[in-house]
Structures are given as C-alpha cells and as structure tokens.
Amino acid sequence: MLKLYHFWSSTCSKKVRIALAEKGLDWESHHIDLGPKQENTEPWYVKLNPNGVVPTLDHDGRIIIESNVIIEYLDDVFPDVRLRPEDAYERAQMRIWLDRTEHVVHRNINMISFNRRFLPRFAEKSDAEKEAVINRMPNPEKRHEMLRRLRAGVSVDDEARAEAAIAGVMDMMEMQFGRTPWLAGEEFSLADICITPFVERFGANELTVLIDWRSRPGVGDWWRRIQSRPSYDEGMNFPNPAA
Ligand SMILES: N[C@@H](CCC(=O)N[C@@H](CS)C(=O)NCC(=O)O)C(=O)O
C-alpha cells in the first residue's frame, strides 16, 4: 500500500501526486498541515521525515523522503508506465533537471515565497510567535536561514536575485525545447514533472515576466502540453481540506 504524507498546495507534494497520477497508482492521503498547526514538526512526523517537510512516502511500511527520490523510487517499483528515458545519456539529462529544480528553482522560489506566502500564513502571530514557529523546524540550516529572513527581512534585491536565477533555468528550458519536445528528450519524463509545480507557482506568486511566453515560446508550448495531460489536474489540484 502507498500512503503519501503531503500538503495540498506544496510544490514538492504536487510533483509526487503528478507522478502517481501518470502511473495510475492508488494511494492513501495523509494530509499534513503546514500552517498554524505545524503538523510537520510534530515528533511523530519528524521520526518519518527528519527534515520536518512534506512529502513523505510510506510504501508498505518503508519510508522514503525527498520528492525527487520518491518519484524515482515509484518508477523503479512500478515500471509499467515508464517515466524515465531508457537511454543512459537522456536519463542523465533528466537527473540534471531534477537537481536543477531542487537546487536552483526550489531554493530561489522559497526565498521569493517568504513575504508572499510564508508570512501571510502566520499573519495573526506576533514576531516572537513567528520565531517560535521557526524554532520548531528540525533542520538547523533552514531554521537559521528562516530566522535571518524574519529578522532582516527579504529585500527587493534578494527577490530580484532569486528571480534572475530562476529566469536562467527558464532560458535553459527554452534552449532545450529548440532541440527536443520534452526536457530530457523525445519522451515525457520525470524531468517535466519535477518542474511543473514550480512553473505554476511563478503565476501564483505574480512573477509575470517569468510566464510571459512571448519571450519563451518553446516553454509556452510545453506548458500547454503539460496542462492538457490528465495528471496535471489530478496532481496539482488536490482540494484544501481546511476550505
Ligand atoms: N527537498 C525536499 C524539500 C521539501 C520541502 O521543502 N517541502 C516544503 C513544502 S514544498 C515543506 O514541507 N515546508 C514546510 C516547512 O519548511 O516548514 C523535497 O523535495 O522533498
């Protein structure tokens, strides 16, 4: 049995839900509140995921963390619908996209999301209470960085630098679509899945320059093809249980 610990609007959770949908796999939902309840920092959850983040996959009692590792695991264990290129070179390209998504796109969208999504989630709390929220995060590096952002603020320049880093990745995508229809080659793969939730997030965060397809028509065409796949709606639009 597959059980997914996830949060309805989390980009990394969306990645896994899209992969599950592409593969047509049944899974049980265990929704983790990342808002005021901070279920992700409860001791029972941190035992499963020492970083106190979503998603976490439980496959018959075996726990797998890290969304990129989870989607590769799913492809190893349920190979009927293949989501990785057979060719070793293309598979290496796919892994570069997984890495780029995590270490450039996710890192930088996280910086941009601080003022726009993180702070509003804890809007009723005082600064001391916000520090207490951050101090519950089990990952020391993340805790340090979040406290720094809270105390010093995320400046317009911090956001501009983060947006420039993401724009660089979008340029690489545009270049790739001049060569192949999908990011890792001729076939749709985990490379396309891993970046999809972030592209949607650019719109939600009003990063309009990043989603102005006139300057990146290849990415615009890819985005239309991605959105027309049934897995897009299934993976991206999990209902907010609190709504
Ligand atoms: N590298 C991790 C990142 C996971 C991550 O940062 N998840 C976010 C949601 S997208 C989270 O749980 N944030 C809660 C928090 O940091 O308190 C993965 O890909 O699984």
Side-chain angles (χ1 to χ4, degrees):
M1 190 188 41
L2 292 169
K3 187 197 280 189
L4 184 67
Y5 296 86
H6 65 130
F7 181 64
W8 69 281
S9 69
S10 123
T11 44
C12 304
S13 302
K14 287 174 181 173
K15 220 192 270 186
V16 176
R17 295 197 304 253
I18 294 173
L20 287 164
E22 283 285 343
K23 288 182 164 290
L25 294 169
D26 288 332
W27 54 283
E28 185 185 302
S29 165
H30 191 129
H31 194 260
I32 297 290
D33 188 319
L34 300 186
K37 282 197 203 151
Q38 275 192 288
E39 278 181 287
N40 56 313
T41 61
E42 296 284 346
W44 71 266
Y45 185 72
V46 175
K47 265 194 205 149
L48 300 180
N49 188 319
N51 295 322
V53 291
V54 290
T56 299
L57 183 75
D58 175 334
H59 180 207
D60 291 335
R62 300 173 105 182
I63 303 300
I64 302 109
I65 63 167
E66 287 297 329
S67 57
N68 286 343
V69 177
I70 294 172
I71 58 181
E72 284 226 46
Y73 174 84
L74 289 172
D75 208 49
D76 279 330
V77 179
F78 303 102
D80 286 356
V81 176
R82 193 170 45 77
L83 292 174
R84 290 178 298 182
E86 278 175 318
D87 176 76
Y89 176 78
E90 289 192 353
R91 197 179 277 234
Q93 300 311 304
M94 179 207 81
R95 293 208 172 99
I96 291 170
W97 282 106
L98 294 186
D99 184 77
R100 208 171 260 154
T101 308
E102 175 62 15
H103 294 112
V104 183
V105 180
H106 189 207
R107 231 184 81 220
N108 285 291
I109 198 70
N110 194 267
M111 171 74 85
I112 294 172
S113 290
F114 186 79
N115 291 334
R116 306 173 195 212
R117 300 179 79 87
F118 180 82
L119 288 182
R121 223 188 277 161
F122 301 98
E124 309 87 61
K125 293 192 186 291
S126 66
D127 275 358
E129 286 169 329
K130 281 180 195 139
E131 291 216 0
V133 163
I134 292 172
N135 277 323
R136 285 181 60 170
M137 294 176 177
N139 181 320
E141 191 184 349
K142 182 162 182 179
R143 205 164 53 228
H144 188 94
E145 170 61 13
M146 295 296 270
L147 284 175
R148 187 195 68 76
R149 288 182 197 171
L150 184 68
R151 291 171 186 163
V154 170
S155 68
V156 172
D157 189 56
D158 289 334
E159 289 196 4
R161 189 162 35 95
E163 191 170 336
I166 296 170
V169 172
M170 301 287 280
D171 288 340
M172 288 180 206
M173 290 176 77
E174 183 65 20
M175 218 183 318
Q176 188 59 40
F177 295 132
R179 301 183 196 116
T180 57
W182 300 101
L183 277 179
E186 296 303 316
E187 293 174 17
F188 174 84
S189 78
L190 297 182
D192 303 285
I193 291 179
C194 73
I195 203 154
T196 291
F198 295 101
V199 174
E200 188 261 352
R201 182 57 55 84
F202 303 157
N205 278 352
E206 292 171 3
L207 300 169
T208 43
V209 176
L210 290 180
I211 53 166
D212 179 350
W213 306 132
R214 282 170 303 185
S215 53
R216 295 188 188 92
V219 183
D221 175 65
W222 168 85
W223 187 233
R224 280 182 285 277
R225 285 182 281 129
I226 286 285
Q227 288 182 296
S228 69
R229 298 177 79 88
S231 65
Y232 182 88
D233 192 43
E234 239 183 279
M236 298 289 288
N237 298 327
F238 189 88
N240 176 2

